[in-house]
């Protein structure tokens, strides 16, 4: 009888130990892993859907918000405190429709509003033409751009405080203009 109680007690203790490792050990391990990754300078990053972009020098990749795939993709770069995102997704419509969709997505966030006028934008190789504008949010500002490539939209959003955005504008603009698409129509 004592043996059976001892065996049951040891088995129960092992189960409690495993549950404790799962409940406390795995989250601690997850928190200890870095969610960002340094990127080499001047090397195109594959966003997804055949789209590449050269990240700004010194940008970090947020691996928790980056999802590449064959027909779509999302990447989030951190340029100091600035968030710089590129989203590629299937889209059926014209450039004004894609810009309207992105403006609505921005304005759907509490406190965010699109400000100013949109302007034309082009990639450095002239392969893609798009529209660009700005938005504001509590304590932050932002810029956006949208391009169409065949049946894909490429949305670019950048957010940070106004001084941060001003300081990084040139490197982020250069990066945005580096977007290329394999098989763009």
């Amino acid at each position: 009888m004592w043996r059976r109680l001892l065996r049951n007690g040891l088995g129960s203790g092992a189960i409690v130990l495993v549950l404790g490792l799962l409940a406390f050990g795995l989250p601690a391990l997850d928190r200890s892993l870095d969610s960002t990754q340094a990127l080499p300078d001047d090397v195109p990053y594959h966003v997804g859907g055949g789209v590449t972009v050269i990240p700004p020098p010194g940008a970090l990749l947020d691996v928790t918000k980056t999802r590449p795939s064959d027909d779509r993709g999302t990447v989030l770069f951190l340029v100091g405190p600035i968030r710089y995102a590129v989203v590629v997704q299937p889209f059926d419509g014209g450039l004004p429709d894609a810009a309207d969709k992105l403006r609505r997505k921005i304005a759907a966030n509490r406190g965010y509003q699109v400000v100013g006028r949109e302007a034309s934008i082009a990639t450095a190789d002239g392969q893609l033409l798009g529209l660009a504008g700005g938005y504001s949010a509590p304590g932050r500002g932002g810029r956006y751009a949208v391009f169409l490539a065949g049946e894909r939209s490429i949305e670019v959003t950048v957010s940070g405080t106004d001084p941060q955005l001003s300081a990084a504008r040139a490197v982020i603009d250069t990066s945005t203009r580096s977007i290329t698409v394999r098989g763009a129509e």
Side-chain angles (χ1 to χ4, degrees), residues 42-126:
D42 296 325
V43 176
Y45 184 84
H46 297 277
V47 179
V51 174
T52 62
V53 62
I54 297 175
L60 297 175
L61 175 71
D62 184 334
V63 296
T64 66
K65 305 283 189 219
T66 300
R67 304 277 184 277
S69 74
D70 290 338
D71 69 337
R72 64 184 66 232
T74 301
V75 63
L76 177 61
F77 299 115
L78 302 174
V79 183
I82 296 172
R83 297 171 53 90
Y84 170 42
V86 180
V87 176
V88 178
Q89 57 197 339
F91 186 78
D92 184 26
L95 184 58
D97 301 322
D100 186 54
K101 179 183 174 201
L102 181 54
R103 285 190 304 269
R104 281 185 278 126
K105 187 190 303 186
I106 291 167
N109 293 302
R110 183 182 172 131
Y112 284 60
Q113 60 183 355
V114 175
V115 295
R117 297 176 54 192
E118 283 184 335
S120 296
I121 185 172
T123 55
D125 63 4

Side-chain angles (χ1 to χ4, degrees), residues 115-159:
V115 295
R117 297 176 54 192
E118 283 184 335
S120 296
I121 185 172
T123 55
D125 63 4
Q127 181 185 32
L128 300 172
L129 300 176
L131 293 172
Y135 63 92
S136 66
R140 296 181 75 75
R143 297 193 356 254
Y144 68 89
V146 63
F147 302 95
L148 283 186
E151 295 182 357
R152 293 166 286 198
S153 69
I154 304 164
E155 300 175 347
V156 177
T157 54
V158 181
S159 67

